[in-house]
Amino acid sequence: MKKEISADALDRDLKRRTLWERLTKRRAVLRAQVGLTFIVLLINIVWTIVASYTYGSQNGIGTIFTGDCGKSQLLNVYLHIAINILSTLLLGISNYCMQLISAPSREEIDRAHARKTWVDVGVPSARNVWKLNLSKKIIWCGFAITSATLHLFWNSAVFYSFPTYQYRVAVVTSDFQYINQAWPSYGGYEFEPLRQSAAGLELLQPADCINRYIEPLNAGRDVIVVTNRTAAENSNSTLIASTVTGGTVWYFEEYWICSSTEIYNAIIPGGCTTDVVDKFVSNWTVASETGLHLGKGSVAVDYCLSAGMNDSQDQCSVGFSTYIMTIVIAMNALKCAFVLFVHYKAGRSSVIGTLGDAVASFLQEPDHSTEHMCLATKRTFMSKAAWQPQAIEWRPSKTRWIGATTKRRFGVTMGIYAATFIATTGLMIAGVLGRVRDHRSIAISSLISQGLGNLDPQELLSNASRGAPTTLLATVVMANSFQVLFSCLYYMYNSVLSCMLVALEWSRYSVRKRPLRVSNPTGAQRSSYFLTIPFRYDIPLLAASSLLQWLVSQSVFLIRINNYDPTGTNTLVSQSSRIGFAPIGIIASYFLTWLMFLALLLLAFLKVYPQGDKAMPMASTCSAAISASCHRPPGDYDAWLLPVQWGVTRSRADEVEQKPGHCSFTTARDVSPPIEGRFYA
């Protein structure tokens, strides 16, 4: 066996370590995460102060940019990309810290083994949380709550606002211009000025009139609808019906076009869209009762007199909410405090965060509670009755990656996936049925043309709400509830993948000698630049999760409406918040979720751990099974510092005498694989 390594030799080894190895020590990684979390906090604080000071705010709502709608939408997209990058960064940091918080110390492992129970090693573990002390439980829950809150609000801190315009609609007789008869007001707005301006209005034929006013976002102005009825046929009144359309119910503003009994009965239960109304252009009728209530009478239209269009293309804007940013900053500050706590606790203590940490600890100081059961697996320790020395027959079997995780962990992940698929499928079906109901195209090209994060009046969820901050926050919570669901999905996906990769790392120690991957390397150990998931898995997972979060933010999103009344006045009371959705974004999110799901299933059911002579007992993340494999041969004191291999370590004499053999991690050169059918203890 090898001699103990001297302190001088260790010092020389440390000096030879590269800068990368030093930077990837746990304390260095945690320091970097503290710095990154504070940088994100500083960005949020500075941005909020600068935006509030530069642009001002009213009742917690400010405007960053007002102008061209295309530029506004592009700025909104860029800001949301930045938000999702920062939120994904904080989510990754939180996941790292939550894993360290739930990681046990050697003392906690020993106490658990003394009670004939075990803890998870090397993976995010909610199971371990219940065995932590109160302060760690609070911090772990704090990370979870702050992450959920950030995903619930952050994407709506910045939002796209667009203008809508109320306008007056007067349905009049064909001879109204020849009879000097004042029109009464309606809905608090005077109609007499509209009558007096009739001579200067633009004449539109029915088809042109419908095209101008059928789309709520076309920004039409006041209109006089001239019918074929005379004043004599209307009780000597030139005004047949009147209404003021738009406002907080702007998405219904075109319904006066479909208000007659004939057309309204034809569109039920669909919407008032071009595809439907085009069938009635040659015989267009509107309601004949005051208010233009749907289905209340009908009168034929000859032509329209239009006041023109509002210049809406330069009145779009990108706004922000100081209330939401205050919540974001508060959660970010709490997260900074929690990361500092983890840096103080996990950075300075002997927390066993990786598989290599556990193996090194058990090789340095063997755990007597798992002696003489070297082939024990995770399944062995599911029963307390199995916690006793026992010789176990070696029967190597083909083990797929799915075997490394528990049924509960995998089941919870599948449950969250099911909820995600149900939610996204429900939205897709609702969107498709809504388009079919409204006689609109469901072709992919039509959905793509709407784009991501763009408003369509027919693609709205929930009722309009007035502009008070409380209702804004309520709308935000509804709009971003999907973000929380996908955050939970990321956590469980990470957890399952971690279990499978821990077992993969474990199984490779039976193939050849390998240095232990630990949090704070010494001797020949190597650094742990990740906890469980290597970069080749972690980077694609983070990229896919970030893309998914952004797609969700552009699929179901907050929209803010700035409404202008017929006089051109815009007030906070006339503003409203709605939830819009983009079908193509929902479809893209759905397929990306499926792609990630299939990737996990392919890894779980197609990938196989080393078999035959290279097989090892499936310890997975079970601390007891790991401990059972780490009872090194006598005199192999430095095994925890050097490259090791798992295999049979007992002498040939034991085999001749037919004593049970022994398997362990060791630095010995003559390591051999266990023989099928023989017993080892």
Side-chain angles (χ1 to χ4, degrees):
M1 294 299 170
K2 298 183 183 294
K3 297 179 180 180
E4 283 196 64
I5 296 177
S6 67
D8 290 339
L10 291 179
D11 289 339
R12 287 194 300 270
D13 178 75
L14 287 173
K15 290 177 182 177
R16 290 195 301 268
R17 291 191 180 281
T18 65
L19 176 63
W20 173 251
E21 288 176 314
R22 294 178 185 179
L23 290 176
T24 53
K25 283 189 175 183
R26 182 192 295 160
R27 288 187 63 182
V29 171
L30 285 172
R31 279 196 296 268
Q33 293 186 345
V34 170
L36 287 172
T37 310
F38 271 98
I39 288 173
V40 175
L41 176 61
L42 186 63
I43 290 172
N44 283 323
I45 292 174
V46 171
W47 189 91
T48 303
I49 292 174
V50 170
S52 300
Y53 179 79
T54 305
Y55 305 107
S57 65
Q58 182 181 8
N59 285 358
I61 296 174
T63 302
I64 303 169
F65 173 82
T66 300
D68 180 73
C69 291
K71 292 181 179 178
S72 297
Q73 290 177 338
L74 195 60
L75 176 60
N76 184 55
V77 168
Y78 288 155
L79 288 173
H80 276 93
I81 289 175
I83 287 172
N84 280 278
I85 290 173
L86 294 178
S87 64
T88 300
L89 177 64
L90 289 185
L91 181 63
I93 291 173
S94 295
N95 189 68
Y96 185 97
C97 291
M98 289 171 74
Q99 183 169 336
L100 278 183
I101 280 290
S102 63
S105 65
R106 178 58 191 270
E107 292 75 17
E108 289 171 330
I109 291 177
D110 289 341
R111 285 198 296 269
H113 290 184
R115 297 192 303 269
K116 295 186 177 182
T117 185
W118 53 273
V119 293
D120 282 314
V121 170
V123 292
S125 175
R127 179 178 181 272
N128 284 4
V129 173
W130 306 114
K131 301 175 183 179
L132 301 175
N133 59 44
L134 182 60
S135 63
K136 286 187 175 182
K137 285 180 183 177
I138 292 173
I139 298 299
W140 191 92
C141 293
F143 273 115
I145 292 170
T146 53
S147 293
T149 306
L150 284 173
H151 280 87
L152 201 57
F153 289 99
W154 205 349
N155 268 296
S156 294
V158 176
F159 45 82
Y160 173 66
S161 298
F162 66 95
T164 62
Y165 303 89
Q166 287 182 284
Y167 59 91
R168 290 167 286 205
V169 181
V171 180
V172 302
T173 61
S174 58
D175 53 1
F176 83 98
Q177 290 178 303
Y178 307 106
I179 301 175
N180 187 19
Q181 184 184 82
W183 290 348
S185 62
Y186 180 85
Y189 294 100
E190 296 291 335
F191 273 70
E192 177 59 16
L194 179 60
R195 185 187 73 85
Q196 294 177 2
S197 65
L201 301 183
E202 179 185 2
L203 190 148
L204 297 175
Q205 294 303 317
D208 296 327
C209 186
I210 290 172
N211 288 335
R212 175 168 292 184
Y213 291 96
I214 194 68
E215 291 293 338
L217 301 183
N218 278 354
R221 300 174 70 181
D222 295 342
V223 61
I224 297 174
V225 182
V226 183
T227 68
N228 62 0
R229 187 179 295 182
T230 65
E233 296 171 323
N234 191 52
S235 303
N236 295 319
S237 173
T238 60
L239 183 64
I240 299 174
S242 60
T243 191
V244 177
T245 189
T248 55
V249 288
W250 55 272
Y251 40 89
F252 288 139
E253 70 178 37
E254 78 281 11
Y255 270 69
W256 66 268
I257 297 173
C258 303
S259 58
S260 69
T261 304
E262 297 88 349
I263 300 180
Y264 178 65
N265 289 337
I267 69 171
I268 294 175
C272 184
T273 62
T274 304
D275 294 338
V276 175
V277 182
D278 280 349
K279 302 174 183 177
F280 298 90
V281 170
S282 59
N283 188 29
W284 180 28
T285 56
V286 295
S288 57
E289 292 189 12
T290 297
L292 290 174
H293 298 299
L294 297 176
K296 300 297 183 180
S298 62
V299 57
V301 177
D302 281 345
Y303 60 91
C304 296
L305 295 173
S306 172
M309 307 284 287
N310 287 289
D311 185 13
S312 62
Q313 283 304 306
D314 290 328
Q315 291 186 313
C316 294
S317 62
V318 177
F320 67 95
S321 169
T322 56
Y323 294 122
I324 293 178
M325 283 307 301
T326 300
I327 294 173
V328 169
I329 290 170
M331 294 300 103
N332 199 165
L334 283 174
K335 200 173 285 290
C336 284
F338 297 152
V339 175
L340 276 173
F341 176 90
V342 175
H343 176 263
Y344 176 77
K345 284 288 187 181
R348 290 171 169 79
S349 64
S350 56
V351 170
I352 295 177
T354 69
L355 174 65
D357 289 337
V359 174
S361 176
F362 291 129
L363 287 177
Q364 184 180 16
E365 188 178 340
D367 175 16
H368 299 296
S369 66
T370 59
E371 283 184 315
H372 306 300
M373 44 196 316
C374 62
L375 294 187
T377 64
K378 185 175 185 176
R379 182 171 295 182
T380 304
F381 292 101
M382 291 296 183
S383 170
K384 288 188 177 183
W387 284 72
Q388 56 185 348
Q390 53 182 302
I392 301 174
E393 184 180 4
W394 176 239
R395 293 289 182 186
S397 60
K398 183 178 180 180
T399 305
R400 301 186 186 278
W401 282 24
I402 183 65
T405 186
T406 62
K407 292 180 180 179
R408 178 182 297 178
R409 191 187 303 267
F410 196 76
V412 170
T413 305
M414 294 302 102
I416 296 177
Y417 256 113
T420 303
F421 287 138
I422 290 172
T424 51
T425 302
L427 278 176
M428 282 198 300
I429 292 174
V432 170
L433 292 180
R435 282 178 166 261
V436 171
R437 178 198 64 205
D438 295 339
H439 310 283
R440 303 168 70 212
S441 173
I442 58 173
I444 291 295
S445 58
S446 176
L447 301 181
I448 291 175
S449 65
Q450 180 186 338
L452 295 171
N454 293 333
L455 173 67
D456 187 321
Q458 308 299 327
E459 250 84 53
L460 295 173
L461 301 174
S462 81
N463 293 322
S465 56
R466 292 284 182 177
T470 51
T471 55
L472 171 64
L473 293 182
T475 308
V476 166
V477 170
M478 292 176 61
N480 292 323
S481 56
F482 292 96
Q483 294 282 351
V484 179
L485 180 62
F486 280 94
S487 295
C488 294
L489 184 61
Y490 169 81
Y491 179 83
M492 291 308 302
Y493 194 107
N494 181 287
S495 179
V496 171
L497 186 59
S498 294
C499 283
M500 297 191 295
L501 292 175
V502 163
L504 178 63
E505 183 180 1
W506 170 265
S507 66
R508 287 174 174 169
Y509 282 103
S510 66
V511 178
R512 62 177 176 84
K513 282 187 171 62
R514 303 170 65 88
L516 295 173
R517 184 180 61 83
V518 298
S519 301
N520 297 295
T522 187
Q525 297 169 341
R526 62 192 178 102
S527 61
S528 174
Y529 53 90
F530 56 89
L531 278 178
T532 302
I533 303 182
F535 284 164
R536 64 179 176 275
Y537 291 98
D538 200 24
I539 291 176
L541 175 58
L542 281 174
S545 298
S546 183
L547 176 60
L548 187 58
Q549 295 279 0
W550 179 75
L551 281 173
V552 172
S553 74
Q554 298 300 294
S555 301
V556 182
F557 47 89
L558 170 72
I559 52 177
R560 191 78 176 157
I561 299 98
N562 293 320
N563 180 62
Y564 295 85
D565 68 14
T567 66
T569 303
N570 171 253
T571 63
L572 182 65
V573 176
S574 64
Q575 296 176 0
S576 60
S577 301
R578 287 299 301 267
I579 300 173
F581 68 95
I584 192 64
I586 296 170
I587 292 172
S589 301
Y590 181 81
F591 281 104
L592 180 56
T593 305
W594 263 109
L595 185 63
M596 294 175 66
F597 177 69
L598 290 176
L600 187 65
L601 290 185
L602 288 175
L603 289 175
F605 291 99
L606 294 186
K607 298 282 280 185
V608 179
Y609 295 112
Q611 306 174 56
D613 291 345
K614 306 302 181 184
M616 281 184 73
M618 176 51 70
S620 187
T621 62
C622 175
S623 61
I626 296 170
S627 169
S629 293
C630 294
H631 292 277
R632 53 176 169 73
D636 199 1
Y637 303 111
D638 300 327
W640 67 285
L641 297 170
L642 301 169
V644 292
Q645 183 176 357
W646 181 89
V648 177
T649 61
R650 190 153 290 179
S651 66
R652 295 285 182 182
D654 290 335
E655 295 184 16
V656 172
E657 297 175 15
Q658 296 186 342
K659 292 180 179 180
H662 179 69
C663 298
S664 174
F665 284 88
T666 180
T667 61
R669 293 183 178 180
D670 56 345
V671 182
S672 60
I675 299 173
E676 185 173 358
R678 292 204 174 177
F679 285 82
Y680 298 87

